[in-house]
Amino acid sequence: MVDGMDRGKIEALIATRQTGFTLPQPFYFDRAIYAIEIEQIWRTGWLFVAHDCEIPSVGDYLTWDIGDDSILILRDDEGEIRAFHNLCRHRGTRLCSQPQGHVGRIVCPYHQWTYDRSGQLCSARGMEADLNFEEWSLIPVAVATAAGMIYISLADNPPPFDGVGKQIAAAAAPQGLNRAKVACAIDYEIEANWKLVWENNRECYHCNVNHPQYIRANFDHFNEDDTNGAIQTRIAQQLQRNKEHLAATGLTATHQSTGMASFPDPENVDGWCAINRTVLVEDYISETMDGQQVAPLMGDYVDPHVGTLRMRTMPNMWNHSSCDHVVTTRLLPAGPDRTLARVVWLVDQDAVEGRDFTLERLLPFWQLTSEQDWDLCRAAQQGISSRAYRPGPLSTYKEWNVEAFICWYLEQLTPSSES
Ligand code: FES
Ligand code: FE
């Protein structure tokens, strides 16, 4: 819990923050600020937890720790996704200790109270015969799904999901996320505050030097201060080529907007979600090492020239989807200076490893890019932790989205955002 004094200090600190500059030092490692973030950001809205193909069969589950809470996400007997607080109703013991697994019934390790896959208590040996099982089912957590993506909310009154869920479902439908399977997942512990991971994600100022693979495939590192007209012509030509290819699928691609765009996309509900489809460079049809397709086309695609579909939902998910695979990154804060990241590669559900794709061709592009980013985040955390750190200026050309992220973040913390 955070007392009023902490909150007051933080409000005073927010007031010292200069527009166009990075955050004051305590935002990157202070425990009181971190506790407020958990309450006001991570326990208020909808959090991405997984693609539903990560728990494909009845009884498959995964657990998810956020702050002091552990959440159990489970596929029930009807094939629906449910979420519960991962604790026994007897004396509170943690039920499932593994990050993922499979259960027939959920048996508490302490005294073996047993719950079915709908969370109902169904056995409590040794208790009085009149124990009302109905009263002691697992505590549910709100769940919503869109396009095969599972979200939970820890809020007492979760915000509406339907509107944004429909936006996600419509944009992601051609990609076939709900007809996908996991090809690989890699877990990382990043030695950096979760906001540094987002700040790094929100700009490509660092790309030219740090992401040799990524810049070969994308136009992101060309920003609005690039006066080289040839680049703008290339992008326009690529958009036109993609337009012709995408016509068959009824899709359109755009290039990133420029200027001090608010974050996330103001066209999307509450700024919580942003989705766009953009083009890859000439001769690249997939975000792979050589730009070539490495797995069967996904979803409704009939032509590989679909660019990349990019989605992000705050505060913890972004993904890039090519014609043949999807790469999703999910973040979880694990302390003021630690962030857990899971990077998941999806392919079409019928694709067979060894026959239709190999991990050797599928993984390197985003594995390298991700790990390059985590190194940068760690170096940022190390430097910011020094007593010599002072907030630094952001480029309006290349870091407008970092500024937009910081504004979004501070908005979540300010009292006016409380309701
Ligand atoms: Fe779970 Fe006793 S604490 S059965
Ligand atoms: Fe990067």
Side-chain angles (χ1 to χ4, degrees):
M1 297 298 293
V2 177
D3 61 29
M5 194 179 72
D6 285 331
R7 198 173 283 267
K9 275 187 191 167
I10 290 159
E11 283 162 16
L13 198 59
I14 290 173
T16 70
R17 193 259 163 175
Q18 258 185 290
T19 301
F21 282 72
T22 57
L23 287 164
Q25 188 178 43
F27 283 98
Y28 297 106
F29 58 79
D30 181 83
R31 291 212 157 266
I33 293 176
Y34 179 73
I36 289 180
E37 292 171 352
I38 294 293
E39 289 303 320
Q40 296 200 192
I41 296 177
W42 296 84
R43 287 202 177 114
T44 55
W46 291 97
L47 307 173
F48 173 76
V49 288
H51 290 283
D52 73 354
C53 59
E54 293 179 62
I55 45 173
S57 304
V58 167
D60 288 350
Y61 75 82
L62 52 91
T63 58
W64 212 76
D65 295 348
I66 180 74
D68 299 327
D69 295 326
S70 177
I71 311 299
L72 176 64
I73 299 111
L74 174 76
R75 191 175 290 276
D76 73 10
D77 291 348
E78 278 70 50
E80 299 298 318
I81 306 292
R82 291 178 183 259
F84 307 102
H85 284 277
N86 185 18
L87 62 95
C88 181
R89 297 302 308 279
H90 178 216
R91 282 166 53 193
T93 299
R94 173 75 52 93
L95 292 168
C96 297
S97 56
Q98 298 302 312
Q100 62 188 98
H102 181 89
V103 284
R105 291 182 167 192
I106 303 154
V107 182
C108 178
Y110 207 166
H111 315 97
Q112 290 75 53
W113 279 31
T114 300
Y115 306 85
D116 68 20
R117 291 190 287 219
S118 70
Q120 285 291 316
L121 179 64
C122 52
S123 170
R125 284 182 305 110
M127 297 300 292
E128 283 71 8
D130 62 353
L131 182 76
N132 182 355
F133 281 19
E134 297 289 322
E135 281 181 30
W136 301 106
S137 47
L138 297 181
I139 300 165
V141 170
V143 180
T145 60
M149 301 168 82
I150 306 169
Y151 288 86
I152 63 165
S153 177
L154 302 176
D156 292 335
N157 296 300
F161 186 84
D162 278 3
V164 76
K166 283 185 183 132
Q167 286 185 3
I168 293 172
Q175 188 71 38
L177 287 171
N178 49 4
R179 287 171 279 153
K181 73 175 189 183
V182 177
C184 187
I186 302 181
D187 289 303
Y188 296 97
E189 182 172 326
I190 308 167
E191 295 168 35
N193 181 278
W194 68 274
K195 299 187 295 299
L196 288 177
V197 182
W198 269 113
E199 289 177 15
N200 176 71
N201 172 271
R202 297 289 68 231
E203 50 90 358
C204 215
Y205 190 9
H206 65 274
C207 292
N208 279 328
V209 169
N210 294 285
H211 292 317
Q213 297 80 23
Y214 186 85
I215 62 169
R216 280 205 289 271
N218 287 286
F219 287 111
D220 307 41
H221 54 296
F222 298 117
N223 288 293
E224 66 192 88
D225 66 333
D226 289 312
T227 51
N228 181 351
I231 296 300
Q232 305 308 329
T233 303
R234 276 180 64 192
I235 294 170
Q237 286 172 342
Q238 270 301 78
L239 282 167
Q240 183 58 34
R241 276 187 212 109
N242 269 245
K243 194 173 172 183
E244 288 155 15
H245 284 287
L246 287 168
T249 324
L251 302 171
T252 53
T254 57
H255 187 54
Q256 286 181 315
S257 62
T258 55
M260 290 292 285
S262 65
F263 175 82
D265 185 341
E267 290 173 11
N268 288 293
V269 177
D270 295 327
W272 173 78
C273 168
I275 305 169
N276 82 306
R277 182 181 296 278
T278 190
V279 289
L280 294 167
V281 301
E282 305 86 343
D283 304 327
Y284 268 65
I285 55 174
S286 182
E287 287 187 327
T288 56
M289 297 297 272
D290 61 3
Q292 299 308 297
Q293 188 178 334
V294 294
L297 291 179
M298 293 184 73
D300 301 335
Y301 297 144
V302 292
D303 185 315
H305 296 84
V306 297
T308 55
L309 174 68
R310 301 175 180 192
M311 297 193 284
R312 61 180 185 273
T313 58
M314 298 307 297
N316 77 327
M317 188 282 291
W318 69 78
N319 72 23
H320 275 221
S321 299
S322 293
C323 63
D324 55 346
H325 72 286
V326 175
V327 184
T328 298
T329 301
R330 184 200 74 184
L331 303 181
L332 262 181
D337 60 356
R338 288 287 182 282
T339 304
L340 303 179
R342 165 165 276 212
V343 183
V344 180
W345 284 258
L346 305 183
V347 293
D348 181 79
Q349 62 185 2
D350 295 326
V352 176
E353 187 178 348
R355 184 190 73 186
D356 299 316
F357 72 95
T358 63
L359 296 184
E360 287 70 26
R361 294 194 72 203
L362 181 68
L363 299 192
F365 184 95
W366 272 109
Q367 184 176 359
L368 287 166
T369 303
S370 301
E371 292 170 7
Q372 290 154 0
D373 278 329
W374 310 157
D375 285 344
L376 295 170
C377 295
R378 184 181 62 227
Q381 182 78 38
Q382 286 170 336
I384 289 167
S385 300
S386 161
R387 73 182 70 179
Y389 167 80
R390 302 287 183 278
L394 299 168
S395 163
T396 55
Y397 296 122
K398 295 179 182 294
E399 294 169 303
W400 71 88
N401 262 332
V402 179
E403 170 66 15
F405 167 74
I406 290 173
C407 290
W408 170 85
Y409 163 76
L410 292 175
E411 233 170 70
Q412 313 307 303
L413 295 194
T414 51
S416 60
S417 69
E418 293 180 56
S419 58

